[in-house]
Amino acid sequence: APLSDGDRRKQISVRGIAGLGDVAEVRKSFNRHLHFTLVKDRNVATPRDYYFALAHTVRDHLVGRWIRTQQHYYERDPKRIYYLSLEFYMGRTLQNTMVNLGLQNACDEAIYQLGLDLEELEEIEEDAGLGNGGLGRLAACFLDSMATLGLAAYGYGIRYEFGIFNQKIVDGWQVEEADDWLRYGNPWEKARPEYMLPVHFYGRVEHTPEGVKWIDTQVVLAMPYDTPVPGYKNNTVNTMRLWSAKAPNDFNLQEFNMGDYIEAVLDRNLAENISRVLYPNDNFFEGKELRLKQEYFVVAATLQDIIRRFKSSKFGCRDPVRTCFETFPDKVAIQLNDTHPALSIPELMRILVDVEKVDWDKAWEITKRTCAYTNHTVLPEALERWPVSMFEKLLPRHLEIIYALNQMHLDRVAALYPGDIDRLRRMSVIEEGDCKRINMAHLCVIGSHAVNGVARIHSDIVKNSVFKDFYELEPEKFQNKTNGITPRRWLLLCNPGLADIIAEKIGEGFITDLSQLKKLLEFIDNETFIRDVAKVKQENKLKFAAYLEEQYKVKINPMSMFDVQVKRIHEYKRQLLNCLHAITLYNRIRCNPSKSFVPRTIMIGGKAAPGYHMAKMIIKLITSIGEVINNDPYVGDKLKVIFLENYRVSLAEKVIPAADLSQQISTAGTEASGTGNMKFMVNGALTIGTMDGANVEMAEEAGEENLFIFGMRVEDVEALDRKGYNAREYYESLPELRQAIDQITSGFFSPRDPGCFKDVVNMLMYHDRFKVFADYEAYIKCQGQVDQLFMDPREWTRKVIRNIACSGKFSSDRTITEYAREIWGVEPSATAIPPPNLPRN
């Protein structure tokens, strides 16, 4: 008899062989934790207890490797990589840990023998939602790759008590609720109070003969929480260290509240608010003092930690008092994930000069050789520009240092370009004006030895426009590092069916060397493989359809094309263009109900920043369009518009493997890279997109004819800017566009509140920075080509296979290998550390 899918899956080693010993061991450990850790027996245990028992069981398998890895680094004293980020969008940890340790089958079998369902337990885990979108998820993928490549790397960030808000849709509107992700405890973290460190704020600067002193400061303590980061089957377990703010015990009891002890204790909250909540803005700068405090808090705690580790390392320094920082850049690399940790530059200078008494010029050389900066956006509203007045109050010494660095920088520019006053103004770290501001991006560029964009087209824009003057000054500083995604989470974990049929054909090497997917090109005409790929996709679609019905009570047609756009809601990402296509499709069906249409389920998901009015209106528009279309009897199964509520990492893992079409339709020149685009590609969806971000390189890898590319290129957008974009011209000349806009205006989609979308229409007609109408015609035409191909399932699937086969470049392993060699000056290592049960080498 042919094997069932379940049996076949258990045989495939991609999920890790389940040895009998392992299964018995897992069961025993599970029962022990249920009893001793959770203090429950099977009569009173809840599903959540079972999840925690399993999590602790799996965590036990990490501990030996984790201790051994850190010991290994201490003995070898390699150069250490510090990835500083205000966001780490980790998602769930249980399944990822099982995958990377090769424990999945053993746990599956053990849990099954205990009469439980592994998938059900996995669903209980809360996402660690400590990020907004691409930037935070990139940091998480990078941690996975750095561990898998055996780099001595550390992620440093903030342990937010509340991560990205949970999104509820009420009457079609987004409503935010707090993400209390720690409510039941976090089994994956270990508090390390013994490494608690002080962080100083406010105060004043005193210049004395013994040097500069920053005094009368307020102190907040930084408590580290460590989370293990396992590499893929190489016994390496790195550390992500997140800081939590604690008030010192004498907080407010010294001078302030002489008599009011109770008040003083209650005021501890003020200090501890620093790590309370993640700012929910994606690609937008909000100059709040609490946010600046968060940025300095993570930087100050992390740099103390880095220097402590450098000083105590076995080969750190020869001199007895350990003040020799000459070798610092040979032992430490600091990568700044955007400008959010930019204060690392003046803070490292402050420590070297004021505390360690290093000569200023020497300190500056050390700082520059140590730091490198990744730029993530070209949108002007996203660039961090802090008021000088805020700095003066909060970080007076850092302001002095920034002024001095800027003076040094401008002296150099003036010497090279005498009399070019305008260039000095453009390149200054300090922006003059009604409110003097510090341009953090300029600080990062002058204080780093490497500056990179995150896709080739973005890096070119960085060099030719955003930092043009800086590029002319030091062209050797500027690099490209095209983003990538981890194939462990984004293929193996979320799409085991696809991973299995790939492994059957080409072996398992692709898991740690994704370029091996190229070998699938041999099977592009293999009927069995074509059928298998289509079958896996159909199974994923059925599973997702069942999930939507169970969770959200929406019924969809699993035979329809799953047309998906999931990402943060933002004008530049042009969810509105998608809406206009949905309306156009609807009008065509209404106009000709008997004609056969390619059935589609259009799914749009993503969160809007709570203060971003237009983004919230876009969500309301999507839900309103869905309300009309999904309840129109003339339409039936041909078209559905679904808003996917509370899009997050764990939902991405479900929807991406089920997608047929991936929408990547930002205005050319606005999406720095995009990484969702890569996840869809490797999971067997075809892409409709503009020549923006990494789409350009995806088209280059797979062949432009294997993506649905449409619309203006960067040059066309620039030409249209010079000419002047006039939305009305398109409105007048394109009848289907006019009909759609008139319907939105008239209240066709909001009969209870006809004027509901006037702001949206007004924006589209009179101040649309992202030129939605200019790409409408090309987009609709391109969507017609999508329909044509979808009607030929064999040809569609052949294109899918070609896309998967050409997605290898977009592994974060490749990205991190490039960072390691070209920025950090370290070599990835393929050799595994010996496992805990074997003696050390």
Side-chain angles (χ1 to χ4, degrees):
L3 290 171
S4 79
D5 278 357
D7 292 336
R8 205 174 92 248
R9 206 183 304 129
K10 288 207 170 82
Q11 287 190 337
I12 291 203
S13 53
V14 165
R15 296 163 74 89
I17 303 287
L20 288 177
D22 296 336
V23 176
E25 163 58 37
V26 169
R27 285 179 57 182
K28 192 170 150 211
S29 182
F30 179 94
N31 285 322
R32 191 176 53 82
H33 276 296
L34 193 61
H35 188 80
F36 288 105
T37 310
L38 297 162
V39 198
K40 292 278 185 101
D41 65 30
R42 294 291 299 256
N43 302 309
V44 293
T46 64
R48 178 167 279 107
D49 292 319
Y50 293 137
Y51 158 69
F52 275 110
L54 178 58
H56 279 105
T57 299
V58 172
R59 180 181 159 280
D60 287 348
H61 286 262
L62 280 169
V63 171
R65 291 173 173 94
W66 196 6
I67 292 171
R68 165 121 5 150
T69 300
Q70 302 310 315
Q71 178 67 23
H72 178 76
Y73 293 154
Y74 181 76
E75 286 165 6
R76 279 197 29 258
D77 195 41
K79 183 172 184 177
R80 287 172 163 85
I81 313 304
Y82 295 101
Y83 197 84
L84 267 65
S85 181
L86 266 88
E87 304 185 17
F88 287 95
Y89 204 172
M90 303 294 283
R92 291 172 178 161
T93 299
L94 176 59
Q95 199 185 351
N96 183 247
T97 306
M98 294 190 302
V99 164
N100 279 13
L101 295 184
L103 280 174
Q104 214 174 0
N105 272 335
C107 291
D108 208 340
E109 182 58 31
I111 294 302
Y112 172 77
Q113 288 178 12
L114 289 162
L116 299 166
D117 176 21
L118 181 58
E119 226 172 297
E120 215 173 285
L121 299 187
E122 287 168 349
E123 283 298 308
I124 292 168
E125 182 175 358
E126 301 273 359
D127 279 48
L130 308 184
N132 277 286
L135 172 147
R137 182 55 233 176
L138 186 79
C141 283
F142 279 4
L143 292 184
D144 182 88
S145 285
M146 289 187 292
T148 296
L149 292 169
L151 297 176
Y154 302 77
Y156 273 94
I158 295 176
R159 180 181 178 267
Y160 300 107
E161 200 174 317
F162 297 92
I164 187 65
F165 60 86
N166 283 315
Q167 178 191 58
K168 288 267 189 287
I169 301 297
V170 178
D171 291 331
W173 298 92
Q174 166 176 298
V175 174
E176 301 86 18
E177 71 184 27
D179 166 41
D180 191 6
W181 71 291
L182 294 169
R183 177 176 46 223
Y184 298 105
N186 173 6
W188 305 107
E189 68 184 6
K190 176 72 185 84
R192 298 266 180 217
E194 67 274 22
Y195 291 116
M196 191 137 60
L197 293 167
V199 175
H200 297 260
F201 293 100
Y202 304 108
R204 55 192 178 84
V205 180
E206 216 168 54
H207 292 261
T208 73
E210 298 83 61
V212 183
K213 295 204 169 72
W214 180 20
I215 55 171
D216 297 340
T217 55
Q218 292 182 27
V219 176
V220 176
L221 299 176
M223 162 91 83
Y225 285 79
D226 288 355
T227 298
V229 180
Y232 182 73
K233 293 186 180 174
N234 65 349
N235 298 318
T236 296
V237 181
N238 284 344
T239 301
M240 174 178 66
R241 176 162 283 182
L242 301 180
W243 301 101
S244 185
K246 287 281 282 169
N249 286 332
D250 61 357
F251 185 76
N252 267 1
L253 287 167
Q254 323 87 308
E255 63 281 354
F256 245 1
N257 286 311
M258 237 73 87
D260 208 338
Y261 162 73
I262 297 289
E263 266 305 297
V265 173
L266 297 185
D267 278 350
R268 294 167 61 85
N269 277 323
L270 300 172
E272 294 172 0
N273 275 337
I274 291 175
S275 55
R276 195 80 66 203
V277 59
L278 167 74
Y279 274 84
N281 305 313
D282 188 74
N283 275 293
F284 183 78
F285 169 61
E286 182 177 7
K288 293 280 194 285
E289 184 177 31
L290 182 61
R291 170 68 173 197
L292 184 57
K293 279 185 177 165
Q294 289 181 339
E295 292 184 353
Y296 181 62
F297 176 74
V298 64
V299 158
T302 300
L303 275 167
Q304 289 180 74
D305 219 30
I306 291 174
I307 286 166
R308 173 191 59 73
R309 201 175 282 120
F310 168 76
K311 284 183 173 180
S312 69
S313 80
K314 255 163 66 163
F315 313 102
C317 257
R318 292 288 166 253
D319 60 351
V321 276
R322 295 243 191 252
T323 46
C324 140
F325 280 84
E326 290 283 339
T327 63
F328 193 73
D330 305 319
K331 288 295 176 192
V332 172
I334 294 174
Q335 190 67 35
L336 308 174
N337 195 24
D338 214 315
T339 56
H340 311 149
L343 287 165
S344 299
I345 292 164
E347 174 67 4
L348 184 52
M349 283 297 284
R350 186 189 70 80
I351 295 171
L352 291 175
V353 175
D354 296 358
V355 181
E356 302 290 347
K357 308 297 183 200
V358 178
D359 165 75
W360 177 275
D361 291 331
K362 186 75 209 158
W364 184 232
E365 186 210 323
I366 291 169
T367 299
K368 278 201 294 195
R369 284 181 52 210
T370 301
C371 296
Y373 157 58
T374 302
N375 173 273
H376 281 273
T377 181
V378 297
L379 297 182
E381 63 267 37
L383 295 178
E384 292 198 291
R385 295 155 60 249
W386 290 104
V388 165
S389 56
M390 196 182 286
F391 254 83
E392 216 156 23
K393 185 170 75 134
L394 195 69
L395 300 167
R397 178 55 180 151
H398 297 77
L399 182 61
E400 287 186 353
I401 290 168
I402 289 167
Y403 273 133
L405 295 176
N406 190 43
Q407 192 56 56
M408 214 163 57
H409 160 63
L410 292 181
D411 288 348
R412 184 177 164 212
V413 176
L416 287 165
Y417 302 92
D420 193 342
I421 303 300
D422 197 52
R423 182 181 297 262
L424 290 177
R425 181 191 57 72
R426 290 195 312 264
M427 294 183 77
S428 178
V429 175
I430 311 291
E431 297 177 1
E432 301 296 338
D434 48 340
C435 166
K436 279 175 75 168
R437 293 179 176 273
I438 301 173
N439 184 314
M440 301 302 270
H442 289 182
L443 178 61
C444 284
V445 173
I446 69 167
S448 298
H449 70 278
V451 174
N452 73 281
V454 290
R456 192 201 310 130
I457 185 178
H458 169 234
S459 297
D460 288 343
I461 292 168
V462 160
K463 291 189 285 208
N464 303 327
S465 79
V466 188
F467 299 137
K468 183 171 187 286
D469 296 313
F470 294 90
Y471 177 66
E472 284 169 20
L473 191 65
E474 311 180 275
E476 66 290 338
K477 243 187 208 187
F478 290 80
Q479 304 189 18
N480 172 244
K481 295 285 170 279
T482 299
N483 283 161
I485 59 171
T486 171
R488 272 74 61 183
R489 184 176 294 265
W490 296 112
L491 178 52
L492 225 56
L493 179 154
C494 71
N495 204 341
L498 181 58
D500 283 352
I501 61 170
I502 293 171
E504 277 169 24
K505 287 284 184 260
I506 67 171
E508 289 176 42
F510 71 93
I511 299 169
T512 49
D513 175 14
L514 206 62
S515 67
Q516 291 187 27
L517 289 178
K518 272 269 178 270
K519 298 178 188 169
L520 291 175
L521 288 172
E522 296 171 40
F523 302 101
I524 209 118
D525 296 308
N526 178 308
E527 298 305 323
T528 327
F529 190 61
I530 293 173
R531 201 188 56 234
D532 282 346
V533 168
K535 177 165 170 276
V536 165
K537 179 62 72 180
Q538 196 51 45
E539 285 167 356
N540 291 341
K541 289 172 71 172
L542 284 164
K543 187 170 182 184
F544 188 65
Y547 172 82
L548 281 187
E549 203 174 335
E550 187 224 326
Q551 290 289 313
Y552 301 106
K553 313 285 171 251
V554 261
K555 245 183 122 48
I556 57 174
N557 170 12
M559 297 313 295
S560 65
M561 182 198 306
F562 283 14
D563 167 347
V564 182
Q565 185 180 25
V566 284
K567 52 191 67 235
R568 285 297 289 260
I569 311 293
H570 203 297
E571 287 160 86
Y572 87 84
K573 294 176 186 283
R574 297 203 295 192
Q575 282 92 356
L576 285 170
L577 188 53
N578 197 347
C579 288
L580 292 175
H581 174 246
I583 296 172
T584 302
L585 233 37
Y586 172 66
N587 288 330
R588 286 179 181 180
I589 292 169
R590 286 289 307 243
C591 192
N592 202 342
S594 55
K595 188 167 170 281
S596 82
F597 282 86
V598 176
R600 284 200 192 218
T601 304
I602 299 174
M603 309 186 205
I604 305 176
K607 292 174 183 175
Y612 188 175
H613 171 250
M614 188 57 66
K616 291 190 143 178
M617 288 311 304
I618 291 169
I619 290 175
K620 176 61 174 170
L621 179 61
I622 296 163
T623 55
S624 303
I625 291 169
E627 194 81 342
V628 170
I629 293 179
N630 303 347
N631 294 302
D632 187 322
Y634 286 100
V635 177
D637 251 2
K638 296 196 191 96
L639 181 61
K640 290 271 182 274
V641 175
I642 309 287
F643 186 84
L644 296 174
E645 196 176 298
N646 203 29
Y647 180 63
R648 59 200 185 281
V649 175
S650 58
L651 186 56
E653 292 165 4
K654 296 179 174 71
V655 66
I656 291 171
D660 291 306
L661 186 67
S662 157
Q663 299 233 29
Q664 310 295 337
I665 58 179
S666 54
T667 311
T670 64
E671 187 73 270
S673 166
T675 45
N677 47 3
M678 304 167 187
K679 293 163 196 170
F680 283 101
M681 185 184 193
V682 79
N683 278 284
L686 297 185
T687 301
I688 184 168
T690 50
M691 277 297 203
D692 197 19
N695 297 357
V696 177
E697 290 161 78
M698 286 164 52
E700 184 178 303
E701 293 295 302
E704 201 171 321
E705 67 284 4
N706 294 304
L707 281 76
F708 298 97
I709 298 289
F710 73 93
M712 297 178 290
R713 312 302 202 248
V714 169
E715 306 72 53
D716 305 318
V717 175
E718 287 168 349
L720 187 51
D721 275 325
R722 285 192 295 277
K723 169 182 170 255
Y725 169 65
N726 179 3
R728 180 150 235 107
E729 288 172 21
Y730 300 94
Y731 172 83
E732 303 289 3
S733 65
L734 300 168
E736 288 189 302
L737 173 61
R738 187 181 333 131
Q739 183 186 7
I741 293 298
D742 290 350
Q743 285 168 311
I744 296 170
T745 308
S746 69
F748 180 85
F749 296 106
S750 52
R752 301 244 180 87
D753 179 6
C756 184
F757 299 115
K758 62 178 188 310
D759 290 356
V760 177
V761 173
N762 181 56
M763 181 272 290
L764 286 171
M765 294 293 290
Y766 304 110
H767 27 80
D768 177 9
R769 297 163 54 204
F770 303 105
K771 308 179 176 62
V772 170
F773 291 2
D775 274 337
Y776 170 83
E777 192 176 16
Y779 179 57
I780 300 298
K781 183 163 170 274
C782 194
Q783 286 281 21
Q785 294 163 7
V786 174
D787 280 337
Q788 281 304 305
L789 189 65
F790 196 74
M791 288 191 293
D792 183 347
R794 185 173 181 275
E795 272 314 300
W796 180 279
T797 305
R798 288 181 72 242
K799 267 203 183 6
V800 162
I801 294 169
R802 182 163 267 124
N803 270 267
I804 296 170
C806 296
S807 65
K809 171 178 180 179
F810 304 106
S811 168
S812 47
D813 297 344
R814 187 267 317 149
T815 309
I816 288 297
T817 300
E818 291 179 12
Y819 276 96
R821 291 178 178 155
E822 298 163 31
I823 297 180
W824 304 330
V826 295
E827 252 317 294
S829 119
T831 49
I833 293 173
N837 54 343
L838 291 182
R840 288 214 306 272
N841 292 349

